[in-house]
Amino acid sequence: RLRLHDGKLIKDRRYHLRTYPNCFVAKELTDWLIDHKEAPDRETGIRLMQKLMDHYIIHHVCDEHSDYKDAKLLYRFRKDDGTFPLSKDVKVFMRGQSLYEKLVSVEESILKVREENSVKYQRTFLGSEMIDWLIQEGEVENRQEAVELGRALLEHGIIQHVSNRHHFFDSDILYQFWINFRRRRRLTELLNENSSRALCESPDSPFCLRKLNPDPGNTSFLSVQTNKEIKIVSAVRRSSITSLSGNSNAYFSAPPTLVFPPVAECNPKSVLKRPVTNEELLSPGAPYVKKTLTIVGDAVGWGFVVRGGRPCHIQAVDPGGPAAAAGMKVCQFVFSVNGVYVLHLDYQTISSLIMTGPRTLVMEVMEAIE
């Protein structure tokens, strides 16, 4: 959007004696996408813009067309006419992006490469240092407000303690921006998101760490570490695993023969040290912090395993997968999936919610405070 403004493709345009502010001509934009290597051809360009329409990012100026047409029709970014739906998650994300851009564009920025326990971390700052800067720049009125902002950024996965051991505090604890907002993203990444139907039917369903069987009725996860025997954990249908193994054990089957890198055996027992109830999680003063994770599935999957029920927990996380990159860890409890409260559901129902949802998964999890 900003590049299109700079390139004067977005501007006020007059049509039938009426002026439409901040709009672009669809045909011109398709040309621009190809010229700037954002799309290899017109068909791909149309599919990309349709994605933006489907996600309420752009729309026809009079809302007379629900499809993106490669023609002399006027469209507009909803952010330019105030109709973009700003949820709480989006507002926090945009606030984090705004702060990040402000921090990296000033001289003597508090964002630096720092070392802790012989490990170097990028884009780091001290908690108290960030609070001082927020007050100095007029971003907040007082230290309490700054702490609340820092906690919201941490819970939404925008910042984190460098070793994921603390919430945000007004102290000399070291934090970092987890998201690098300056990373150049290609529009074609949008096309990796499948429809819910295609998601369920695809042999490479993003709900799997690794898919064992192309049969769409068998949705299974593989475990995630190295140098041990492969076993399977069913996240959706117990019957599929039972039928494979030929016994009543709903979670494990005999090790299959696969040409995959060696992976670790999933513990047949829960990774939780002890059972935890919903009442315990939600009681006032409970030692748990809620975090919001935004996980963009890649070509292989999201990279995690859900087990248990009421509440469900994270049983395993692929260390090289999208979930790990978003900050997911074992033993976290699943609070909500794409805005749906799920503490009272079992893992099969949660699996179904994830599989039939969008490729970009927003999960709220509750994590024990160490």
Side-chain angles (χ1 to χ4, degrees):
R1 168 179 161 270
L2 295 175
R3 292 169 68 196
L4 293 172
H5 272 285
D6 292 341
K8 306 301 181 186
L9 263 77
I10 295 179
K11 59 185 178 182
D12 295 353
R13 298 175 186 269
R14 193 167 179 81
Y15 181 73
H16 284 180
L17 303 179
R18 180 177 174 182
T19 299
Y20 296 90
N22 293 321
C23 59
F24 58 87
V25 178
K27 190 174 185 303
E28 292 180 5
L29 180 52
T30 309
D31 293 337
W32 184 91
L33 291 172
I34 296 172
D35 292 343
H36 288 76
K37 312 299 183 185
E38 290 288 356
D41 50 50
R42 302 194 80 81
E43 180 184 355
T44 304
I46 293 168
R47 290 170 61 206
L48 287 169
M49 291 302 104
Q50 186 62 50
K51 279 288 182 184
L52 297 188
M53 289 196 73
D54 294 343
H55 288 78
Y56 303 100
I57 293 171
I58 65 173
H59 67 130
H60 181 255
V61 291
C62 298
D63 290 318
E64 293 177 355
H65 301 278
S66 59
D67 296 332
Y68 181 83
K69 301 181 183 298
D70 186 20
K72 292 184 178 180
L73 294 174
L74 299 180
Y75 293 82
R76 182 187 293 133
F77 279 83
R78 290 187 177 275
K79 199 163 187 298
D80 284 329
D81 62 12
T83 62
F84 181 70
L86 286 174
S87 66
K88 178 186 175 183
D89 293 340
V90 172
K91 287 179 180 177
V92 173
F93 183 90
M94 293 175 67
R95 183 74 184 277
Q97 183 177 27
S98 172
L99 292 173
Y100 182 85
E101 291 294 339
K102 195 170 180 179
L103 281 164
V104 298
S105 61
V106 299
E107 294 183 8
E108 301 299 323
S109 173
I110 64 171
L111 292 189
K112 299 174 182 177
V113 178
R114 291 181 172 93
E115 186 174 307
E116 184 172 284
N117 296 329
S118 300
V119 178
K120 286 187 177 180
Y121 296 95
Q122 304 287 330
R123 306 181 297 277
T124 68
F125 56 89
L126 302 177
S128 56
E129 194 176 42
M130 173 63 82
I131 289 174
D132 292 340
W133 180 84
L134 289 170
I135 295 173
Q136 175 187 324
E137 295 296 316
E139 293 285 346
V140 295
E141 293 186 0
N142 52 58
R143 303 190 80 82
Q144 178 59 35
E145 188 178 329
V147 169
E148 292 173 359
L149 173 57
R151 291 193 160 223
L153 295 175
L154 186 143
E155 290 173 3
H156 283 74
I158 295 169
I159 65 172
Q160 66 171 21
H161 176 246
V162 290
S163 57
N164 267 324
R165 297 181 63 185
H166 300 286
H167 210 314
F168 185 79
F169 295 103
D170 184 359
S171 68
D172 289 339
I173 296 175
L174 191 61
Y175 300 90
Q176 69 178 153
F177 269 87
W178 180 245
I179 298 177
N180 180 5
F181 289 101
R182 288 285 179 96
R183 181 178 79 81
R184 175 68 185 277
R185 293 163 174 83
R186 307 297 299 184
L187 277 175
T188 48
E189 292 178 25
L190 294 172
L191 298 182
N192 292 329
E193 180 180 341
N194 298 320
S195 67
S196 59
R197 179 174 178 181
L199 189 64
C200 294
E201 296 178 353
S202 170
D204 296 319
S205 167
F207 195 53
C208 302
L209 293 182
R210 298 290 187 270
K211 195 67 179 267
L212 294 179
N213 191 329
D215 174 10
N218 176 25
T219 303
S220 304
F221 292 101
L222 283 187
S223 51
V224 295
Q225 299 177 8
T226 57
N227 300 328
K228 295 216 179 164
E229 176 184 21
I230 297 175
K231 300 224 177 193
I232 310 170
V233 179
S234 168
V236 180
R237 297 181 183 172
R238 292 188 178 193
S239 58
S240 62
I241 295 302
T242 304
S243 62
L244 283 172
S245 60
N247 58 40
S248 60
N249 187 329
Y251 295 101
F252 291 88
S253 69
T257 302
L258 295 173
V259 186
F260 280 127
V263 290
E265 175 183 357
C266 271
N267 191 339
K269 298 179 181 179
S270 170
V271 295
L272 301 178
K273 294 180 180 179
R274 62 177 182 81
V276 176
T277 64
N278 287 337
E279 290 73 18
E280 183 178 345
L281 282 177
L282 300 175
S283 63
Y288 296 94
V289 59
K290 189 192 297 182
K291 295 183 177 181
T292 301
L293 309 178
T294 301
I295 309 166
V296 182
D298 59 18
V300 176
W302 285 308
F304 66 96
V305 175
V306 179
R307 280 273 307 270
R310 306 178 184 88
C312 288
H313 63 274
I314 304 302
Q315 175 77 4
V317 180
D318 182 349
M328 180 174 283
K329 296 184 289 186
V330 296
C331 297
Q332 291 173 331
F333 296 95
V334 185
F335 183 87
S336 72
V337 173
N338 294 326
V340 178
Y341 174 78
V342 297
L343 278 182
H344 61 297
L345 301 178
D346 57 27
Y347 77 91
Q348 293 102 325
T349 307
I350 292 178
S351 300
S352 179
L353 277 175
I354 296 174
M355 286 188 65
T356 56
R359 187 63 169 266
T360 300
L361 174 65
V362 179
M363 289 181 64
E364 287 182 296
V365 297
M366 299 189 73
E367 177 180 318
I369 298 174
E370 296 185 19

